[in-house]
Amino acid sequence: MKNMKIVMMAFMAALGLLSFTAPNHDNNPKKDNISAKKGYEVGDEATDFKLKNIDGKMVSLSDFKSAKGFIVIFTCNHCPYAKKYEDRIIELDRKYKSLGYPVIAINPNDPDVQPEDGYQQMIERAKQKGFTFPYLVDEGQKIYPQYGATKTPHVFVLQKENGKNIVKYIGAIDNNYDNPADVSEYYAQDAVNALIKGEQVKMTKTVAIGCTIKVKK
């Protein structure tokens, strides 16, 4: 009887230890890491969108039937970095639209947080600078999180492959926001040039330099 009692006590102790060390599946760090992943990576398919342009029309990537890809740039009115890049964005569109890679600019900022980025201000800025590309407003701020944009400007070069828009480059336009004369690395341009030639993009990801996207707290 005494031996039986000892065996039972050992069994109960082992059972308690097992329940104490069992993993808590509700706090699985691997699961949390997966759910925390945001935005596209190079090679992902970018879903289409339907956003209002400065001319009042709704614009989607699917509207550009003859396009081979896109230079999607999240940008805005007020940011000093975005302003520095405006002429270069216009030049990208001028150079590559006819080759099948038009610029699609999207303003991701909440105008209540940054009034300079309101819709009417977008219209005025585009007219002032002579934008040759769509300048879309991300109403409800639903599109920039899908892409994973964090700055203005933030570039995503896409290529059409079997009816899908595949991400080929993510990051900065080039390596010198302040002075275009001092640029030595043309990241977005090099990516598009490689795609046009049917080559692999060598530099597929860089760090976007700019202002943080303005979101209501």
Side-chain angles (χ1 to χ4, degrees):
M1 182 64 70
K2 186 176 180 180
N3 289 339
M4 180 63 71
K5 188 175 181 179
I6 293 173
V7 170
M8 287 299 294
M9 289 176 66
F11 175 76
M12 293 298 292
L15 187 63
L17 181 63
L18 180 63
S19 64
F20 179 77
T21 57
N24 182 351
H25 293 289
D26 290 335
N27 295 303
N28 189 332
K30 186 177 291 186
K31 178 180 177 182
D32 290 343
N33 288 339
I34 293 172
S35 63
K37 181 184 176 183
K38 295 180 180 179
Y40 297 135
E41 295 292 343
V42 172
D44 287 348
E45 177 187 357
T47 56
D48 204 349
F49 46 73
K50 195 168 188 178
L51 300 176
K52 186 166 69 173
N53 192 15
I54 49 175
D55 61 4
K57 297 179 181 179
M58 303 303 288
V59 173
S60 299
L61 298 180
S62 59
D63 296 334
F64 298 80
K65 305 299 183 184
S66 61
K68 300 175 183 178
F70 302 93
I71 306 171
V72 176
I73 304 178
F74 291 87
T75 187
C76 66
N77 294 343
H78 88 279
C79 175
Y81 295 87
K83 289 179 179 178
K84 287 278 188 178
Y85 273 114
E86 283 175 330
D87 290 339
R88 279 174 272 184
I89 293 173
I90 293 170
E91 178 62 19
L92 282 171
D93 187 61
R94 186 200 66 77
K95 185 172 184 177
Y96 292 109
K97 180 161 54 180
S98 62
L99 298 175
Y101 289 84
V103 165
I104 307 293
I106 302 174
N107 177 6
N109 287 339
D110 188 314
D112 290 337
V113 179
Q114 179 47 258
E116 288 183 54
D117 291 327
Y119 183 64
Q120 188 59 43
Q121 287 76 10
M122 290 172 60
I123 295 173
E124 293 170 1
R125 188 64 180 175
K127 184 177 180 180
Q128 178 186 2
K129 292 297 298 184
F131 285 177
T132 56
F133 44 81
Y135 189 21
L136 313 178
V137 54
D138 187 4
E139 290 183 303
Q141 298 186 301
K142 297 177 180 178
I143 302 304
Y144 90 80
Q146 292 183 25
Y147 275 72
T150 60
K151 304 287 185 181
T152 52
H154 204 152
V155 182
F156 295 77
V157 174
L158 313 180
Q159 184 179 41
K160 284 187 179 181
E161 294 181 0
N162 300 317
K164 299 178 180 179
N165 295 306
I166 306 301
V167 180
K168 295 295 184 176
Y169 169 77
I170 301 171
I173 293 174
D174 56 42
N175 69 342
N176 194 312
Y177 84 90
D178 190 49
N179 189 353
D182 291 334
V183 172
S184 59
E185 296 287 344
Y186 296 86
Y187 305 129
Q189 183 172 296
D190 289 348
V192 178
N193 285 339
L195 296 175
I196 290 172
K197 295 176 183 177
E199 300 173 353
Q200 293 290 323
V201 177
K202 293 180 180 179
M203 182 75 75
T204 59
K205 196 168 185 179
T206 60
V207 176
I209 304 297
C211 302
T212 58
I213 292 174
K214 303 303 181 276
V215 183
K216 285 182 181 178
K217 295 182 180 179

